[in-house]
Amino acid sequence: MSMYLIGDLQGCQAPFQRLLEKIDFSPSRDTLYLLGDLVNRGPDSLGVLRQLSALGDAAQCLLGNHDLHLLALWHGVRPVGRSDTVQAVLQAADGPALLDWLRHRSMALQRHGWLLVHAGVLPQWSAAQTLALAAEVEQALQGPDPKGFLSAMYGNTPDQWHDGLAGADRLRVIVNALTRLRFCTPDGVMEFHSTEGASAAPQGYLPWFEVPGRRTLATPVAFGHWSTLVTDQKRSTSWGKHVLPLDTGCVWGGCLTAARLGAAAGAFELISVPCEQAQKPGPKQA
């Protein structure tokens, strides 16, 4: 039995299939953990959702910002944008069933000692608190009024966590941290405009995983979302064994990467397949 962590698919079904063949994946024996952004920008989001939902418990999926955006489109909270490539999901006969499956996915998981998130973890949060806060969002999304939650989800404020947050503000901060975070201050103030690599941190900000004394420092954390980290290979030696970014830019013509977890805590082996470029590189990679 093998466990694999896989970075952002973003609707790239063909590379996903090649990766499964390369690792000799068997749903009766192995388990996949997909780190969010299953859909959008790539050519076959419908195929990705159909395959993942059919795998049952063999594919444990997190929600990323693009997945939440698709759910917002489904509920009419936002119009389909020019860069969205999810129209086939919205128009498919099995679309409602797939989207209902999608809204029941997780916001964070902890498996085999690893904390799994799509984007990041605020420095004030422990692994246990991260999972508890993720469950609050899951409850809102899976409850009787998902449209109400999704309608209040968008926005950059508040940009900092404190325990007294309540209602829509509280859920928005949790969503933004788990699905959009790249840079923050040592006090956990989030920055949402910069999409470059870790070396291009805005003044006063750090990559979230480089904040001194963050409470998840001793916990191995795997995440996606940040494809431009692959350009920071020299800097990556300072991240330590407890930081594993797995968005290797498949939709931008990079690779799709899986980490096969080892027996020892924090151990892994990387396996990748090349990807066809589905989107032109630009300043708004996510």
Side-chain angles (χ1 to χ4, degrees), residues 53-278:
S53 62
L55 287 173
D57 291 341
Q60 304 287 320
C61 303
L62 299 184
L63 291 169
N65 49 305
H66 282 283
D67 309 311
L68 291 171
H69 179 63
L70 172 56
L71 292 172
L73 297 179
W74 179 36
H75 285 280
V77 170
R78 287 286 177 100
V80 176
R82 288 184 298 175
S83 63
D84 291 326
T85 63
V86 292
Q87 292 87 338
V89 179
L90 298 170
Q91 296 166 4
D94 58 345
L98 293 171
L99 289 161
D100 189 61
W101 171 86
L102 185 64
R103 80 180 179 104
H104 285 84
R105 298 311 96 198
S106 301
M107 293 294 298
L109 291 169
Q110 190 163 25
R111 296 290 187 271
H112 200 57
W114 286 84
L115 179 62
L116 313 179
V117 296
H118 174 60
V121 181
L122 287 173
Q124 297 88 349
W125 294 355
S126 66
Q129 185 177 12
T130 300
L131 295 170
L133 295 174
E136 293 184 25
V137 175
E138 293 162 12
Q139 184 177 17
L141 189 58
Q142 297 169 20
D145 186 24
K147 183 175 182 179
F149 160 73
L150 293 163
S151 297
M153 176 183 68
Y154 290 92
N156 294 341
T157 57
D159 59 5
Q160 185 176 24
W161 172 259
H162 62 84
D163 291 338
L165 285 171
D169 283 350
R170 181 181 178 92
L171 294 178
R172 192 180 308 114
V173 170
I174 300 169
V175 167
N176 283 341
L178 293 177
T179 69
R180 298 177 63 202
L181 179 61
R182 291 185 179 93
F183 299 106
C184 65
T185 69
D187 293 331
V189 177
M190 295 181 280
E191 196 276 341
F192 298 113
H193 301 292
S194 301
T195 61
E196 300 302 320
S199 299
Q203 186 174 1
Y205 292 86
L206 293 166
W208 65 266
F209 48 80
E210 291 188 357
V211 172
R214 63 178 172 88
R215 295 188 65 193
T216 51
L217 190 60
T219 302
V221 183
F223 60 99
H225 183 62
W226 201 343
S227 62
T228 48
L229 283 181
V230 299
T231 65
D232 282 334
Q233 294 179 353
K234 292 182 179 179
R235 187 182 180 119
S236 68
T237 58
S238 69
W239 295 343
K241 65 179 181 179
H242 291 324
V243 175
L244 178 56
L246 281 171
D247 181 0
T248 47
C250 181
V251 77
W252 308 105
C255 295
L256 183 64
T257 300
R260 179 160 46 210
L261 299 186
F268 59 88
E269 172 194 3
L270 295 179
I271 306 107
S272 298
V273 295
C275 300
E276 307 83 5
Q277 183 171 306

